[in-house]
Amino acid sequence: MRLDKYLKISRLIKRRTVAKELADQGRVDINGQPGKASSNVAVGDVLTLHFGQKPMTVRILLLKEVVKKEEAASLYEVVNEQSASK
C-alpha cells in the first residue's frame, strides 16, 4: 500500500493530499529511511512522522483498504511520541 494512502486510512493524517505533501517534504521516515508518498509500506514497518518539533513513531500492525473510523487506531501501535519542549 502507498504511504500517503496508509497515513490517510489509518487517520494519522486527515487528508491524503496533506499526507502526500508531508512525505514529499521528507518529513516521513520508513524504517529510518526517507519515504516518498508513492513508497510502499508493509506490516511491521516503522514510520516516523515529523510534525514540527513533535516526532511520532508508529509500527504498522495491519493493512486494510477500507477502515471504519473506530477501527483506524488498530492499524498501528505508537512506539514513541515526544512532546514539544518549551
Side-chain angles (χ1 to χ4, degrees):
M1 178 180 288
R2 287 174 54 109
L3 174 61
D4 58 344
K5 184 173 182 178
Y6 179 79
L7 292 173
K8 194 261 185 220
I9 287 176
S10 65
R11 290 173 174 75
L12 287 167
I13 300 194
K14 197 170 189 173
R15 293 188 316 236
R16 190 167 176 179
T17 54
V18 175
K20 181 181 181 320
E21 290 170 7
L22 194 72
D24 289 343
Q25 291 171 359
R27 294 170 54 191
V28 180
D29 296 336
I30 304 171
N31 297 324
Q33 300 294 321
K36 293 186 178 180
S38 61
S39 299
N40 286 324
V41 294
V43 173
D45 284 351
V46 176
L47 305 178
T48 304
L49 305 147
H50 301 281
F51 297 114
Q53 298 295 324
K54 185 181 175 187
M56 178 180 184
T57 305
V58 298
R59 179 176 294 115
I60 298 175
L61 299 177
L62 190 61
L63 294 175
K64 285 187 173 182
E65 292 294 322
V66 179
V67 178
K68 292 182 180 178
K69 184 178 180 181
E70 299 80 31
E71 299 171 348
S74 69
L75 297 180
Y76 61 90
E77 102 182 292
V78 176
V79 176
N80 186 17
E81 183 173 13
Q82 298 176 358
S83 60
S85 59
K86 291 184 179 183

